[in-house]
Amino acid sequence: MKSDETVYRLDPRPGMRLFGLRFVLAAVLVVVAWLLAGVFDDGAGLAAAWVVGALAALLVVVSVLLLVRPPAVVRLDDEGYRLGRVPQGGVRKARWRDVSRATARDSLHGYALVIEVGDGTSTVPLLLVAARANELQHEVNERLNRAHGYRRLE
């Protein structure tokens, strides 16, 4: 990570919903493993139970890791920006010099930061970075101003 890079990560609230769904799925897998071990007395049933149990354990570990360190939604640096795994994000990365405009407006995914780049757009739903949405908008504006040589009136 560059020293001038800012990373905006997924807000914990949507992550908690996914965390809960993964734990429910892990619980279902544990029940299936238990049933496999109880119903089939042969080695194949026991092996299948171990595989399903291992999948449940892996699902729990991945869920905890994603909760502790949420995925990046957008990364900003002096050169430009890069989107993480944003649904319907559009242009995945661009340099600030190529950006013509950035606005906050309604989109298919709720209120979003829309960055216009040449003949495409990048859309970042602000719900994904909920607590830091204002900070993200301000930083994008500041980096755009610096890239295009604008400065504040004194």
Side-chain angles (χ1 to χ4, degrees), residues 73-84:
V73 174
V74 65
R75 296 174 187 271
L76 309 176
D77 60 30
D78 286 339
E79 295 297 316
Y81 68 91
R82 289 183 316 280
L83 295 184

Side-chain angles (χ1 to χ4, degrees), residues 10-63:
L10 181 66
D11 189 66
R13 288 171 281 200
M16 287 299 289
R17 282 193 294 260
L18 292 173
F19 183 74
L21 289 174
R22 288 184 191 117
F23 260 76
V24 168
L25 181 59
V28 169
L29 288 174
V30 167
V31 169
V32 168
W34 179 71
L35 288 173
L36 284 171
V39 171
F40 300 105
D41 290 334
D42 61 347
L46 204 52
W50 275 102
V51 169
V52 173
L55 285 174
L58 182 65
L59 187 60
V60 169
V61 168
V62 168
S63 298

